[in-house]
Amino acid sequence: MENQGRSERSNAHLQKEPSPKVPLPKSFLDFLALNGLSPSVYDEIDNLPRYIRLKPGSETLLADVEAELGCKLENVNWLPGFFAIASQIQIARSKVYCEGKIYGIDAASGAAVTTLNVLPGDHILDLCAAPGAKLCMLAELLGSSGSLTGVDIAKSRLAACRTMLQKYALGGRCRLFVADGTTFSLLPLGTCTENQPVMESENGDCRGKKDVYQEWSSRVPWSERRKSKDTNRIQLNVTSKANTCELIFYGKHSGVIGLRKEQLFQTGKEEANDGGYDKVLVDAECTHDGSVKHILKFEDWGWDTLQRRLLNSERIGSVTQLQLQLLTNGFRLLKVGGSLVYSTCSCRLLPLNSLTVAQNEDVVEQFLSNNHSAEGWPCRSGRIPRTIRFDTCTSRTSGLFIAKIVKLF
């Protein structure tokens, strides 16, 4: 009855179609009307809570966090470690944030990470790692065993991930690669038995070996960093000069230290199967129409930018093609029995519209039709079985579509 009442309230909300407080452009209003959507939902930003996550081990500081932020932390009972605060509360200058005790991450994003069911010893791949909140949560859940590989095509954004890992002291088992997620092909080091570190002496000291990776440091002189640039980069596909893979960070326990370049950059076969990753997260590039906050940024960026990024049919076509390629490659790098979570923040709009379905269910459905060794995660709310959607009205989070796929053979 509660769900039915909620549905009726939601439908009534759509039928009234009040005018939005935000001055949305006519082209976007026409788009919403075409898909049977109410523009007033974009006024919900002031009513949506902001979510933070306490770094494990900081639970005893809960009272201190509340005192410093000047608000009560509301426990998110369906997502351990997450708390809701008022949207206007700023955390960036707080001591607990600067000291790496808390970080901001939407509860829906946390749900996507939780869906992977990270276990000790897992080798995990985050194929679209920037801006880094999900990467940090993955590192937290992984703990003191296994490995985490983060990939992103934008070096500046991946550098921000590196900064986050260092700030929260979570990078020990992580390595970061600037690479195209649709063609990335490096396997986890722990699955390659031939990848034994090159040692200089019995005490395990590999210093003096010029072609061997030493302990990573951000304080390397510029001249040395420039000299090592080629060492940390490799061309994965000889047919494309642009298709390169550059290592920009590796932790002390990532398995990189003591390896030669040729050992680190061993590429996977056509299908990883036994030598692949245990868990893969593909939080794919999308039009971001499920994120209320993102859409409202166009008020400053210019609504003509929204026209190019969201409403342009050619742009949508290229985005969905990219999403399918990311999903396909992520699945290729997954070991048999491993799990992949595919998500996008193009899903808030209700009822389901052609744009968000094209970027979510259609992509997953097309992928599953070509990969019969995959099985979806039992879930709810998507247009196809075993998928889930978060939205501002029902979950009080940013919009997010989630599908979990298991590699059976």
Side-chain angles (χ1 to χ4, degrees):
M1 291 295 292
E2 180 180 348
N3 290 337
Q4 182 179 355
R6 179 185 296 167
S7 175
E8 290 174 352
R9 289 194 298 271
S10 176
N11 290 336
H13 176 68
L14 290 175
Q15 290 169 4
K16 292 178 182 178
E17 297 186 357
S19 299
K21 299 175 185 177
V22 179
L24 298 172
K26 184 178 184 303
S27 57
F28 190 59
L29 292 173
D30 290 344
F31 161 78
L32 295 177
L34 181 65
N35 288 280
L37 305 167
S38 171
S40 62
V41 73
Y42 290 98
D43 294 330
E44 289 293 312
I45 186 169
D46 292 332
N47 300 321
L48 288 179
R50 182 175 190 174
Y51 294 93
I52 62 172
R53 178 170 171 81
L54 260 64
K55 184 181 175 183
S58 302
E59 294 83 2
T60 57
L61 301 176
L62 187 59
D64 295 336
V65 174
E66 290 180 333
E68 186 170 354
L69 296 182
C71 67
K72 183 74 174 176
L73 301 187
E74 181 184 345
N75 182 48
V76 180
N77 56 21
W78 54 274
L79 200 60
F82 277 74
F83 297 87
I85 59 177
S87 60
Q88 66 270 20
I89 300 295
Q90 299 298 314
I91 67 172
R93 295 183 180 179
S94 66
K95 183 179 178 181
V96 286
Y97 175 80
C98 294
E99 292 180 349
K101 302 294 193 302
I102 64 172
Y103 59 90
I105 176 173
D106 193 80
S109 297
V113 174
T114 302
T115 299
L116 270 177
N117 189 29
V118 173
L119 299 174
D122 275 347
H123 296 292
I124 306 170
L125 172 63
D126 187 348
L127 203 54
C128 309
K134 295 186 187 73
L135 187 73
C136 284
M137 185 174 172
L138 285 169
E140 280 185 18
L141 297 175
L142 187 62
S144 59
S145 61
S147 69
L148 175 59
T149 299
V151 177
D152 205 272
I153 198 169
K155 187 171 183 177
S156 60
R157 284 166 55 81
L158 196 64
C161 294
R162 178 178 62 196
T163 300
M164 287 190 69
L165 289 172
Q166 292 176 292
K167 174 182 177 179
Y168 295 103
L170 292 170
R173 296 190 168 273
C174 188
R175 53 184 188 156
L176 299 179
F177 292 97
V178 180
D180 186 341
T182 66
T183 56
F184 180 78
S185 57
L186 302 185
L187 298 177
L189 293 175
T191 63
C192 303
T193 56
E194 64 273 22
N195 281 345
Q196 298 300 320
V198 178
M199 297 302 178
E200 176 72 13
S201 61
E202 292 182 0
N203 64 7
D205 188 356
C206 60
R207 287 175 293 181
K209 294 284 187 179
K210 293 183 179 180
D211 62 340
V212 173
Y213 286 100
Q214 313 295 323
E215 186 170 339
W216 189 89
S217 173
S218 59
R219 298 179 179 177
V220 177
W222 181 83
S223 58
E224 289 294 322
R225 190 173 298 173
R226 184 179 182 184
K227 190 183 300 181
S228 65
K229 199 171 184 180
D230 290 336
T231 302
N232 295 338
R233 180 188 290 132
I234 192 170
Q235 191 171 313
L236 295 179
N237 186 344
V238 294
T239 63
S240 174
K241 291 184 178 180
N243 189 11
T244 58
C245 179
E246 180 182 356
L247 177 68
I248 68 165
F249 174 80
Y250 53 92
K252 189 174 182 179
H253 306 291
S254 63
V256 173
I257 297 174
L259 293 182
R260 290 194 178 96
K261 176 182 176 180
E262 61 269 19
Q263 291 177 302
L264 175 64
F265 287 100
Q266 289 185 19
T267 58
K269 299 177 182 179
E270 185 172 343
E271 197 76 21
N273 293 330
D274 295 337
Y277 293 89
D278 299 285
K279 307 288 167 59
V280 175
L281 176 63
V282 181
D283 187 43
E285 170 68 16
C286 66
T287 54
H288 304 288
D289 56 276
S291 171
V292 174
K293 292 181 180 179
H294 188 86
I295 289 295
L296 296 185
K297 287 178 181 178
F298 287 101
E299 190 172 4
D300 297 322
W301 295 345
W303 293 112
D304 57 329
T305 308
L306 175 69
Q307 176 71 35
R308 294 196 308 271
R309 292 187 180 181
L310 179 61
L311 306 180
N312 184 284
S313 58
E314 291 184 6
R315 160 71 173 160
I316 298 303
S318 64
V319 167
T320 55
Q321 182 180 13
L322 172 63
Q323 291 165 339
L324 181 58
Q325 291 173 338
L326 288 167
L327 176 56
T328 301
N329 193 45
F331 187 77
R332 180 182 69 85
L333 295 170
L334 191 66
K335 68 184 296 184
V336 171
S339 301
L340 179 149
V341 165
Y342 172 83
S343 63
T344 81
C345 61
S346 174
C347 79
R348 179 201 53 75
L349 306 175
L350 292 175
L352 303 185
N353 65 80
S354 58
L355 174 59
T356 64
V357 167
Q359 296 176 74
N360 297 316
E361 284 92 345
D362 285 357
V363 171
V364 174
E365 211 166 34
Q366 185 178 350
F367 168 77
L368 292 175
S369 68
N370 297 323
N371 294 271
H372 300 294
S373 60
E375 178 182 277
W377 181 48
C379 201
R380 63 180 179 83
S381 294
R383 194 202 66 184
I384 61 175
R386 299 179 292 273
T387 58
I388 188 171
R389 287 171 172 264
F390 287 85
D391 68 87
T392 56
C393 297
T394 59
S395 57
R396 309 301 295 160
T397 66
S398 288
L400 199 73
F401 169 88
I402 301 173
K404 185 173 184 179
I405 300 168
V406 176
K407 193 170 191 176
L408 299 180
F409 56 85

